[in-house]
Amino acid sequence: MDILQSLDKNKMPKHIAIIMDGNGRWAKEQGQDRLYGHYEGVRSVRDIVDACGELGISYLTLYAFSTENWNRPKEEVDALMELLVNTIRKEADELMKNNVRMHVIGDFKSLPAICQKELSEAMDMMANNTGLNLVLALSYSSRWEIVDAAKKMVADALAGKLKQEDIDDKVFHNYLNTASFPDPELMIRTSGEYRISNYLLYQLAYAELYFTPVHWPAFRRQNLYEAILNYQQRERRFGKTSEQIQTNTTQHV
Ligand code: FPP
């Protein structure tokens, strides 16, 4: 049976976060240079965005460029930025047609001016769309985000807008870049690495983690369906016992 048919439509994650890893290794396996892997990686982005839209997923967050990625060779960084600009230009109309709304998290001001312009225009254009929220993590790292939140909180406290005793996890969440998004329930990392790599550390507190050896350029919708099916087979306890979860489920049926 097609794996898509096996998915329980009532148990879809609202928010999926992905670490798109393995572009370079995939390209090497094909006897190509790293950039070829990134270009092919864009095809996977397109397929996964379309699939998430069709499945009715509300949020998809993609780790497209980390704070640490600035340390890669300049030619690769420049090529990735150019690829980003070209992809947004090429895909914006299609994303619009599919009712996708785009967001960016990360140190936006550190991106090249042309990227900022292209992204801002695309986000403005899609601002009223009501379908999939596509969140691009660009020049992003969790530690940067958490430190940034701490700085903003201190500034608000000094301005008399925030009291120490009012700070709880909800208030803290409001200072993160992801303030307006729910936490991901499912985090997928491709390419066989078992790390979180400074990605959404606060937000992934209760996420189910799914690791696959498939490199990102080879990761397509069938692989996504497999990840979701695996997620749906897990018991999410949030610190409770299995018996409590079973009882609650029965009570709510
Ligand atoms: C990780 O593979 C991938 C990246 C650092 C870049 C991801 C970017 C894209 C898929 C294309 C642009 C994205 C958008 C949203 C337009 P790696 O280079 O670390 O692979 P390796 O670990 O095998 O070297």
Side-chain angles (χ1 to χ4, degrees):
M1 187 167 65
D2 184 353
I3 191 159
L4 178 59
Q5 311 305 320
S6 321
L7 296 182
D8 181 345
K9 303 284 177 293
N10 300 314
K11 277 174 77 179
M12 286 291 172
K14 268 201 191 67
H15 187 170
I16 300 176
I18 305 185
I19 300 180
M20 309 182 287
D21 195 14
N23 292 357
R25 275 164 286 167
W26 180 85
K28 203 171 168 192
E29 282 173 15
Q30 316 292 313
Q32 301 279 353
D33 65 16
R34 298 179 54 77
L35 292 186
Y36 181 71
H38 296 316
Y39 297 141
E40 289 298 307
V42 172
R43 290 184 197 269
S44 297
V45 170
R46 195 181 295 128
D47 193 45
I48 298 307
V49 168
D50 285 350
C52 284
E54 287 165 24
L55 289 172
I57 305 288
S58 302
Y59 296 86
L60 171 68
T61 299
L62 300 177
Y63 207 1
F65 194 87
S66 71
T67 309
E68 290 77 17
N69 287 153
W70 290 115
N71 298 322
R72 291 193 174 196
K74 186 176 177 322
E75 310 81 71
E76 183 169 343
V77 171
D78 290 349
L80 276 168
M81 292 299 147
E82 197 182 320
L83 181 60
L84 178 69
V85 169
N86 290 340
T87 305
I88 305 291
R89 274 188 196 147
K90 242 192 256 162
E91 303 293 332
D93 287 345
E94 189 67 16
L95 293 171
M96 208 42 210
K97 211 169 77 193
N98 292 335
N99 200 17
V100 172
R101 182 168 175 194
M102 203 171 79
H103 311 260
V104 173
I105 56 171
D107 189 4
F108 194 73
K109 290 195 177 74
S110 70
L111 296 170
I114 178 72
C115 288
Q116 292 188 35
K117 180 174 171 288
E118 215 58 52
L119 288 162
S120 299
E121 285 174 8
M123 285 190 286
D124 287 349
M125 181 169 92
M126 298 176 207
N128 296 320
N129 287 352
T130 54
L132 173 71
N133 287 280
L134 172 62
V135 185
L136 299 180
L138 288 166
S139 193
Y140 174 87
S141 79
S142 254
R143 288 185 177 179
W144 169 83
E145 181 188 33
I146 291 169
V147 169
D148 184 60
K151 285 180 186 166
K152 287 176 184 153
M153 288 170 87
V154 170
D156 277 358
L158 290 173
K161 290 189 230 163
L162 179 68
K163 290 201 207 94
Q164 187 187 24
E165 57 272 28
D166 292 339
I167 300 173
D168 58 16
D169 59 351
K170 275 208 187 76
V171 171
F172 191 84
H173 185 255
N174 283 338
Y175 282 87
L176 295 170
N177 281 204
T178 53
S180 54
F181 316 137
D183 287 344
E185 296 100 327
L186 171 62
M187 198 289 293
I188 301 169
R189 180 173 189 148
T190 61
S191 208
E193 306 290 354
Y194 298 90
R195 288 191 290 275
I196 304 291
S197 297
N198 219 345
Y199 188 45
L200 302 171
L201 299 180
Y202 189 88
Q203 298 87 340
L204 292 178
Y206 284 101
E208 296 298 327
L209 308 180
Y210 179 85
F211 299 96
T212 169
V214 177
H215 295 315
W216 178 251
F219 188 92
R220 297 297 159 93
R221 61 180 67 206
Q222 289 299 325
N223 306 93
L224 176 74
Y225 301 155
E226 277 168 26
I228 296 176
L229 186 62
N230 182 288
Y231 160 83
Q232 291 184 339
Q233 289 161 347
R234 299 189 193 183
E235 182 183 65
R236 308 192 71 216
R237 290 198 293 275
F238 302 98
K240 294 185 180 170
T241 65
S242 192
E243 289 70 26
Q244 284 175 300
I245 301 295
Q246 308 284 337
T247 314
N248 282 350
T249 315
T250 329
Q251 278 169 355
H252 285 111
V253 170

